[in-house]
Amino acid sequence: MGENRQCPHEETLPDPQQSRHSITSLSSVAKTELVRGVPLDLCLQNWGVHFRAPHVGKEVDNFGLSHPAEHIDAFLSHDWRTSRFSKTIALFLIFNSLPACFAACLTSLLASGMIALDSLPGSWITGSAATHAVFYLVFFFGQRLRRLACLKPTLVFLDRLCIAQNDEELKQEGVRNLAGILARSRKLVILWSPRYFTRLWCTFELATFLKEENVKPIQFMPTAMALLLWSASLVVTIGVSVYQSVTYRTQAGILEEPAGWSLNSILINGSAMYISMFLVMAAPIYFGIQHMRDLLKLEQQMTGFSIKASECTCCVLNHRNPVTGEPLLCDRELVFQTLKRWYGTDTGSDDHLDRFDGVVRERLRRSVLRVVGSGAPPLRYLLAMVGTPSVAVWPQYVYLRNSEKAWFATKWLIDFWKLPAVALWAFWVLVACWRTGAAVSRHCPMWMVLAGMDLMACFLVPAVWVPYEVLNERYRDPVVLTISVVLFWALIVVMYGLLYKQKKCRV
Ligand SMILES: [Zn+2]
């Protein structure tokens, strides 16, 4: 938990008369005109400019970007101090990664079809480049493309854009109606960072969703995990491009196939491969270890959660606007009174707060850890980000189908399946290194942990892939190829099955 600032509202609460409102609990029935949504493409414009930390009293009003709406597709809950870039990537991942995966597959299929008919200018290079380009185009600009295609935009609620910032009366009314707005939202998206559960408003937004009998979906996305998946996707894209270049040069006779495995060639090629892998793996391993340490904090935060210890800006500012000096209402009062209405009974003054703490510590903790506890991202995002770059190989394999050196016509189509398997295997190894690294880093200096984990990853990734290649190079037999691809995938299914079965970050 972060530092616990006690609310000084006992001495510094402003006179409620000055705000023209009396303090009552926050309403959970929203006035229709106050339920406002902003199209996701506007919310994400300029790489998440609206997610920048606000300056109290110097807020630019972008209220006009939002409009009244009957229902909100997603209520975005986040903490302002977390980097805007990581929150933006997390939203790209949640809303754009699956459409990007479908669009890339479709492009690759189309390009492959055209190559089969010899009608694609630039042949497989155009097809593969277009596949990667379409993936990133949809990943970064998917919501804008939706608008261009006249599809209904995804409506989200972001407090800064959907609550008036420069009209104090409208602002108070908007804040007071937050619970009602949440009730009209289809799901709650939590962009989590270790600060999240220390913030009063973040936990209040959560409380609103948890109070419903039929709890609506809560999508929990650690922002560090989103960055990791994106960086892993970039590494796989580079890896696939290098692989394609080597395959092409070997097939075109530019690269000689080794006549035999001499000690020299093994040492030279092996060392070059090892050193480049070591360098490429360093960053994802470092960020991954940090991510695992964050997850450990998450478990501690949720186990010891206390809404009384959460922080809010008004208390930090001593309930005075730092620019105008005007008094600010204490949000804590409003929130606590609302919680009393939802979780309270007639006995004990603080029972309702304890009861809410209990819901977070037990019910929410169990469901959050079920999703992210193992440290691995949800499978659909993993496949979209780490599996998709491999489909760029289809156009090249269709192009190579009649190659002299192809062992048999369908070799390339079967051989393709090793690529997503290698990418998934590498990611599994990374998750194992993060967990081990996070455990060891409590006792060892970070540089030592990083070097150790990097060496381990560089040993484990080729440990499965290299035997696969050697076996098929040696036998050049369709049956051996098919069996080894099936065995490779069986290994992937078993390893991921074991990984996702773990509901707890065991480090
Ligand atoms: Zn306060």
Side-chain angles (χ1 to χ4, degrees):
M1 277 278 194
E3 51 175 330
N4 300 337
R5 291 191 180 90
Q6 286 304 310
C7 173
H9 59 256
E10 289 83 357
E11 316 86 67
T12 50
L13 247 191
D15 177 5
Q17 290 304 316
Q18 293 188 31
S19 66
R20 282 175 281 167
H21 292 285
S22 60
I23 301 176
T24 53
S25 58
L26 300 168
S27 163
S28 55
V29 183
K31 294 182 185 169
T32 312
E33 70 274 20
L34 288 174
V35 180
R36 294 175 73 93
V38 59
L40 187 55
D41 59 319
L42 295 180
C43 177
L44 287 169
Q45 67 186 184
N46 296 328
W47 305 95
V49 71
H50 303 302
F51 285 96
R52 252 194 332 218
H55 300 285
V56 178
K58 297 180 196 162
E59 195 57 8
V60 180
D61 205 341
N62 283 311
F63 188 54
L65 292 179
S66 63
H67 57 76
E70 193 60 36
H71 287 285
I72 307 286
D73 293 313
F75 187 107
L76 306 183
S77 183
H78 67 112
D79 132 62
W80 283 111
R81 301 285 159 203
T82 304
S83 111
R84 94 190 219 202
F85 182 69
S86 63
K87 288 185 281 194
T88 308
I89 295 291
L91 289 173
F92 286 153
L93 185 72
I94 293 171
F95 291 100
N96 294 353
S97 62
L98 295 178
C101 167
F102 288 126
C105 291
L106 212 62
T107 309
S108 189
L109 273 178
L110 198 69
S112 305
M114 289 173 79
I115 289 167
L117 299 170
D118 281 329
S119 60
L120 186 69
S123 192
W124 69 269
I125 296 182
T126 311
S128 297
T131 306
H132 291 308
V134 164
F135 179 81
Y136 277 105
L137 187 75
V138 178
F139 184 74
F140 290 128
F141 304 107
Q143 299 301 321
R144 230 178 273 184
L145 293 172
R146 266 182 90 115
R147 182 181 288 266
L148 287 177
C150 296
L151 292 172
K152 193 170 161 273
T154 308
L155 268 193
V156 296
F157 179 92
L158 182 70
D159 43 8
R160 175 184 271 177
L161 302 179
C162 301
I163 293 178
Q165 299 296 314
N166 287 344
D167 180 324
E168 201 53 36
E169 193 169 349
L170 261 183
K171 186 176 176 176
Q172 292 294 342
E173 209 172 344
V175 168
R176 209 167 269 116
N177 274 282
L178 208 52
I181 295 166
L182 272 151
R184 298 268 191 93
S185 304
R186 295 200 169 94
K187 68 173 174 180
L188 176 71
V189 171
I190 296 179
L191 304 173
W192 181 82
S193 68
R195 284 175 52 85
Y196 185 86
F197 283 107
T198 65
R199 305 299 301 170
L200 181 77
W201 276 109
C202 296
T203 46
F204 172 67
E205 287 161 3
L206 199 55
T208 316
F209 254 65
L210 290 174
K211 82 178 170 59
E212 301 284 332
E213 285 270 305
N214 300 317
V215 178
K216 291 183 194 171
I218 297 177
Q219 190 164 10
F220 193 87
M221 173 58 68
T223 54
M225 185 192 273
L227 282 182
L228 267 178
L229 266 184
W230 181 53
S231 64
S233 168
L234 281 179
V235 170
V236 175
T237 304
I238 295 167
V240 166
S241 306
V242 171
Y243 171 81
Q244 283 191 281
S245 148
V246 171
T247 306
Y248 171 71
R249 296 198 310 157
T250 311
Q251 293 300 317
I254 302 166
L255 273 187
E256 284 297 316
E257 281 190 74
W261 291 100
S262 74
L263 188 62
N264 262 358
S265 75
I266 291 176
L267 280 179
I268 294 171
N269 291 321
S271 320
M273 191 182 84
Y274 208 84
I275 291 170
S276 21
M277 263 184 74
F278 189 87
L279 295 176
V280 166
M281 293 284 207
I285 290 178
Y286 176 77
F287 290 119
I289 292 175
Q290 300 295 344
H291 164 61
M292 281 297 168
R293 290 160 79 156
D294 281 359
L295 280 191
L296 273 185
K297 272 187 221 157
L298 168 68
E299 210 182 331
Q300 289 161 4
Q301 276 182 355
M302 295 190 85
T303 312
F305 177 82
S306 160
I307 193 158
K308 278 183 255 181
S310 59
E311 301 167 18
C312 60
T313 313
C314 62
C315 302
V316 174
L317 294 174
N318 259 345
H319 307 103
R320 290 269 159 208
N321 184 317
V323 178
T324 60
E326 283 175 16
L328 293 173
L329 274 179
C330 186
D331 295 344
R332 197 178 292 269
E333 283 288 294
L334 285 168
V335 168
F336 283 10
Q337 287 187 32
T338 309
L339 287 178
K340 189 167 193 171
R341 187 147 59 80
W342 294 340
Y343 293 91
T345 57
D346 296 336
T347 57
S349 60
D350 273 359
D351 266 10
H352 53 291
L353 300 182
D354 296 339
R355 202 164 297 125
F356 173 62
D357 287 352
V359 171
V360 174
R361 288 177 192 178
E362 288 304 320
R363 209 169 84 201
L364 187 70
R365 187 172 65 95
R366 271 202 306 275
S367 56
V368 164
L369 291 181
R370 197 169 50 236
V371 180
V372 294
S374 68
L379 192 59
R380 59 187 186 281
Y381 298 134
L382 180 67
L383 290 176
M385 297 303 286
V386 175
T388 309
S390 314
V391 304
V393 172
W394 292 344
Q396 186 182 26
Y397 279 8
V398 171
Y399 171 81
L400 287 171
R401 72 197 182 284
N402 296 324
S403 151
E404 274 177 39
K405 292 185 182 177
W407 319 328
F408 56 100
T410 51
K411 179 239 175 186
W412 298 109
L413 293 176
I414 301 173
D415 192 53
F416 156 77
W417 290 101
K418 77 178 177 202
L419 290 170
V422 168
L424 288 172
W425 169 246
F427 197 85
W428 187 93
V429 168
L430 279 178
V431 175
C433 289
W434 299 340
R435 296 163 69 156
T436 316
V440 179
S441 68
R442 285 189 233 160
H443 316 288
C444 274
M446 192 61 185
W447 66 268
M448 215 185 263
V449 176
L450 189 59
M453 290 303 107
D454 204 343
L455 284 172
M456 184 169 115
C458 292
F459 169 74
L460 285 176
V461 173
V464 178
W465 185 14
V466 170
Y468 169 92
E469 294 290 356
V470 170
L471 194 73
N472 285 297
E473 196 57 34
R474 168 100 170 72
Y475 291 101
R476 300 196 167 211
D477 181 72
V479 180
V480 174
L481 178 70
T482 311
I483 292 174
S484 46
V485 165
V486 170
L487 284 178
F488 203 162
W489 272 96
L491 175 77
I492 296 294
V493 171
V494 170
M495 294 314 238
Y496 274 92
L498 291 173
L499 183 64
Y500 281 110
K501 248 175 80 179
Q502 293 169 11
K503 307 291 180 235
K504 218 164 155 8
C505 179
R506 282 201 213 120
V507 295

